[in-house]
Amino acid sequence: MAIFEVRKGVKRELSSREVKQRVMEIRGWTSDEYNKEYDKLRNRVRAYESYQAQSGVIREKQSVATILYREAKAIKREGDEYKPTLEMERLKSFPSISSGKALQRRLQDTSRWDVRYSETTVAQFSGLINANPIAREIMEKIENPVQREKALKDLAEKLHVRIDESQRAQAQSAIPFGQTAGSKDTIDFDISKYL
């Protein structure tokens, strides 16, 4: 994934060397420290992707440099107030083992990773789970934590699309609608493909 920078109104893509330099400046790392952190994170990212693939969710490979860059930018922006996202915390909880047989042996006992994945899913979607009966059904019926999170993400996206369409319709209306809270309509969402 490319990283862009806008300077004096001109947008340009940063080279991998420039990305590395920016991260080292923000984090105060030497080149060796950057390489060490890059390697550890790369192993964690690949372990995370392998775990997800075992659960049937195939995602595009993530760029380790992009992850390091975005985290460095967040640290620069937020300073002492910086708190990693739930996704970053989850990612960093995976083992930093180079891919291969050792990683596969480590991921065979998925119970530890399942618990961690479930904890962050509940934290991330607690509002939706509490407010929506379909989300509660997803939590109750889907046992695979990766598929459960995918179902919740897909449901949330479908709800957002519906809300956006409703807001557009209200904006185009000659007579403005009053404030609405909730909907009596049920949303069509099939959880069977996630089971």
Side-chain angles (χ1 to χ4, degrees):
M1 177 176 231
I3 298 172
F4 294 92
E5 177 180 75
V6 178
R7 289 233 171 133
K8 297 180 182 178
V10 178
K11 180 179 177 180
R12 71 177 189 84
E13 184 177 348
L14 295 177
S15 69
S16 57
R17 172 180 265 166
E18 291 171 315
V19 169
K20 179 179 179 178
Q21 191 62 40
R22 300 284 195 298
V23 171
M24 287 172 22
E25 287 169 8
I26 293 169
R27 300 299 298 262
W29 290 342
T30 64
S31 184
D32 288 340
E33 289 171 321
Y34 175 89
N35 292 338
K36 181 179 176 183
E37 292 301 319
Y38 181 95
D39 289 343
K40 288 189 327 190
L41 184 59
R42 182 191 61 226
N43 290 340
R44 284 189 167 96
V45 167
R46 298 305 165 239
Y48 182 55
E49 291 168 346
S50 294
Y51 168 78
Q52 288 180 319
Q54 281 180 214
S55 299
V57 175
I58 308 297
R59 291 177 45 182
E60 186 177 314
K61 287 200 178 293
Q62 297 181 61
S63 164
V64 177
T66 301
I67 294 169
L68 284 171
Y69 179 79
R70 288 188 177 153
E71 184 178 39
K73 293 294 276 187
I75 289 169
K76 181 179 180 180
R77 183 177 54 251
E78 298 171 26
D80 292 339
E81 301 294 314
Y82 172 73
K83 185 176 187 286
T85 63
L86 291 171
E87 185 77 8
M88 183 59 81
E89 287 179 3
R90 179 191 295 164
L91 179 63
K92 288 188 175 183
S93 73
F94 274 76
S96 179
I97 300 172
S98 60
S99 56
K101 292 179 183 178
L103 175 61
Q104 292 311 313
R105 279 194 304 272
R106 186 84 181 263
L107 290 177
Q108 281 177 344
D109 177 24
T110 61
S111 60
R112 175 181 175 197
W113 316 118
D114 289 350
V115 169
R116 182 70 179 140
Y117 213 94
S118 294
E119 288 171 350
T120 53
T121 299
V122 169
Q124 186 175 7
F125 290 98
S126 63
L128 178 63
I129 295 165
N130 291 331
N132 187 289
I134 297 172
R136 285 191 296 276
E137 182 181 4
I138 288 170
M139 290 302 292
E140 293 168 6
K141 291 187 176 179
I142 300 175
E143 293 179 19
N144 180 311
V146 178
Q147 290 292 346
R148 184 185 313 129
E149 183 172 293
K150 182 166 179 13
L152 287 169
K153 282 181 180 177
D154 292 349
L155 174 64
E157 185 175 314
K158 195 168 190 173
L159 289 170
H160 281 292
V161 167
R162 187 177 194 178
I163 289 168
D164 291 345
E165 289 171 356
S166 174
Q167 288 173 343
R168 264 188 254 112
Q170 285 181 12
Q172 294 174 355
S173 167
I175 301 172
F177 288 92
Q179 192 171 11
T180 59
S183 172
K184 291 185 170 59
D185 300 339
T186 57
I187 192 161
D188 182 30
F189 190 81
D190 181 21
I191 69 168
S192 64
K193 67 181 183 179
Y194 303 95
L195 295 173

